[in-house]
Amino acid sequence: MGHVIVVDLGFGDAGKGTVVDHLCRTAAPATGARLPTAVVRFNGGAQAAHNVVAPDGRHHTFAQFGSGTFVPGVRTHLSRFMLVDPLALAAEADHLRTLGVPDALARLTVDRDALLTTPYHRAANRARESARGAARHGSCGMGVGETASYALAHDDPPRAGDCLSPARLRRRLAAVRDWYRAVFPDGEEVPDVGACADAFTAFAEHVRIVGPDHLAALLRAGDVVFEGAQGVLLDEWHGFHPYTTWSTTTFANAETLLAEAGASAARLGVLRAYATRHGPGPFVTEDPALTADLPDPHNGTGRWQGAFRVGHLDAVALRYALEAAGGVDGLAVTHLDVAGARPDLRVCRSYEMDGGRVGRLETGPPDLDRQAALTRRLLAARPVYAPLGDPVETIEDALGAPVVLRSYGPTSADKKADQFRTPIDLSVH
């Protein structure tokens, strides 16, 4: 199979987890390819929610562990681009243990330079989002954005490697706590630094904290799946500001890691056969009737993130995502079972916007003012629809990329792959 990078081309929730799980269970016998040996996480943190249903019906929402963890022997590596929450990781490992996966932590490695998300970041996140009132951005309330912004403003943010140095860890945790109390004097109560430091030190005793050479060794040992979080339309620089994430959601981080190791990977973009968005922000093809008719069993209204919204396939937004991400080698389309049962689904090929018809949104270098202006335009845009027809043919025509993996349900058995159409050979046994 070779190394593969999996990235969501929408607003998230397209099914990255089920695609990664499938890749970790299948190889291409015609090419003699091996099953992947590891999943590398390369952006985001504990706010990710990648739902996987195993063939035997077990379900887990993967946040920091790789979505291949149900497969025995598949390792997870949290790269330096991850924002690691040790407390959330421990809770996730506990849930996996109840599902018959007792060794999730033993199969985990963490880059020593990965930033740590603490209870103080989480409390700051919730205080800041609450203060926005009706103008909330749709945060998950997990502290990931605060972790990133704190690191930009301070020279000594806590990192995974600090868990091996208790004195330094306490100093850095105390600095974050003092910052939180100064900025949010009326914020929620938070744990004592000593208790937090003890928990983080215990975390370091149960996982391997590694240096930068570890990933190169993983890549030499076997095929690796790089699992992205969120979606390109939520990217910190290319998304529709301010309704975005503090994370690079394109292929960029994964390709940086690969280049450092002298390796490369195929690019796999994931999308649903219809559009969804969790939380506020522009959503040109949103359809309240579809939202009512197509509830998602694993995505509901959240206290911090907001409502789960559904709409028609948006070729304009997807073309924008493809351009912002630098293109793909192949596409994975999920929820084709839903599309087959809904002849009323449509595709939006252009917008009525700015007094005319627009079929392409321009991308550019990082510029949040430009992205905020684009957001305002999108909030006033109206979709121009055509019948969806055959969703795979429509998507290939609209995006100019081949569909190499089709998903008709939540498990790996519900996937169908096409052989030899791109450098990604995802054939099934």
Side-chain angles (χ1 to χ4, degrees):
M1 182 181 73
H3 308 313
V4 179
I5 312 170
V6 176
V7 163
D8 188 316
L9 297 177
F11 293 106
D13 301 307
K16 296 179 295 298
T18 187
V19 169
V20 170
D21 173 73
H22 176 72
L23 295 179
C24 289
R25 294 178 185 274
T26 58
T31 63
R34 299 169 295 181
L35 291 174
T37 59
V39 174
V40 174
R41 302 298 299 269
F42 61 88
N43 74 298
Q47 89 278 43
H50 299 177
N51 290 286
V52 173
V53 178
D56 58 11
R58 290 175 296 164
H59 166 256
H60 180 72
T61 301
F62 287 93
Q64 296 179 86
F65 286 100
S67 293
T69 303
F70 272 142
V71 182
V74 173
R75 304 188 63 82
T76 294
H77 177 62
L78 305 184
S79 73
R80 71 174 187 271
F81 293 116
M82 277 289 288
L83 284 66
V84 178
D85 185 332
L87 302 182
L89 258 172
E92 188 175 353
D94 285 343
H95 185 252
L96 285 166
R97 193 174 296 111
T98 68
L99 297 176
V101 185
D103 61 343
L105 285 174
R107 288 191 265 153
L108 177 71
T109 51
V110 183
D111 190 292
R112 68 189 181 200
D113 289 330
L115 292 169
L116 292 177
T117 295
T118 72
Y120 317 122
H121 295 111
R122 189 181 305 121
N125 177 187
R126 297 176 178 183
R128 196 182 304 276
E129 186 74 348
S130 295
R132 294 185 176 118
R136 283 188 177 192
H137 294 171
S139 168
C140 293
M142 298 296 293
V144 171
E146 294 294 339
T147 304
S149 63
Y150 180 90
L152 289 174
H154 298 81
D155 294 331
D156 58 348
R159 298 183 183 272
D162 296 332
C163 295
L164 302 174
S165 177
R168 185 173 66 214
L169 176 66
R170 283 175 177 266
R171 287 197 306 272
R172 293 188 169 184
L173 289 175
V176 180
R177 178 208 56 193
D178 294 346
W179 161 82
Y180 163 69
R181 287 179 171 170
V183 177
F184 302 100
D186 298 322
E188 65 186 69
E189 291 296 316
V190 290
D192 174 78
V193 167
C196 187
D198 289 344
F200 281 26
T201 302
F203 159 78
E205 294 172 353
H206 289 86
V207 304
R208 285 181 60 204
I209 296 177
V210 298
D213 295 336
H214 178 77
L215 178 56
L218 272 183
L219 292 167
R220 290 192 299 269
D223 291 342
V224 169
V225 178
F226 287 77
E227 180 178 0
Q230 294 84 50
V232 174
L233 297 180
L234 295 175
D235 184 79
E236 59 183 333
W237 294 112
H238 298 292
F240 307 139
H241 185 72
Y243 305 100
T244 54
T245 182
W246 282 73
S247 178
T248 296
T249 61
T250 65
F251 297 96
N253 286 351
E255 293 194 325
T256 294
L257 294 168
L258 284 157
E260 290 170 353
S264 61
R267 296 167 158 225
L268 182 63
V270 184
L271 65 149
R272 290 195 187 214
Y274 56 95
T276 64
R277 176 161 197 164
H278 210 157
F283 188 7
V284 177
T285 64
E286 180 177 12
D287 186 332
L290 289 181
T291 298
D293 290 349
L294 297 176
D296 192 297
H298 301 134
N299 285 292
T301 298
R303 176 184 176 188
W304 298 102
Q305 196 170 8
F308 188 75
R309 305 150 67 192
V310 181
H312 298 276
L313 188 71
D314 189 339
V316 181
L318 289 168
R319 285 193 292 263
Y320 172 85
L322 273 180
E323 186 173 341
V328 297
D329 295 305
L331 299 168
V333 181
T334 66
H335 296 79
L336 285 166
D337 52 327
V338 176
R342 296 292 304 227
D344 57 328
L345 288 177
R346 294 174 286 175
V347 58
C348 171
R349 292 183 178 271
S350 61
Y351 300 157
E352 293 287 353
M353 188 169 75
D354 304 332
R357 188 163 290 189
V358 175
R360 177 180 176 271
L361 303 176
E362 292 187 2
T363 61
D367 184 339
L368 293 184
D369 289 337
R370 185 193 63 241
Q371 294 306 112
L374 176 58
T375 296
R376 291 190 292 270
R377 294 168 61 206
L378 290 173
L379 288 170
R382 296 294 177 264
V384 178
Y385 286 124
L388 179 61
D390 181 288
V392 171
E393 291 181 1
T394 297
I395 288 167
E396 290 186 327
D397 176 67
L399 303 187
V403 173
V404 299
L405 183 62
R406 310 176 191 202
S407 177
Y408 296 88
T411 74
S412 180
D414 300 315
K415 309 292 185 284
K416 179 181 179 182
D418 297 325
Q419 257 185 307
F420 306 128
R421 298 187 58 188
T422 75
I424 308 174
D425 182 358
L426 306 179
S427 66
V428 294
H429 292 292

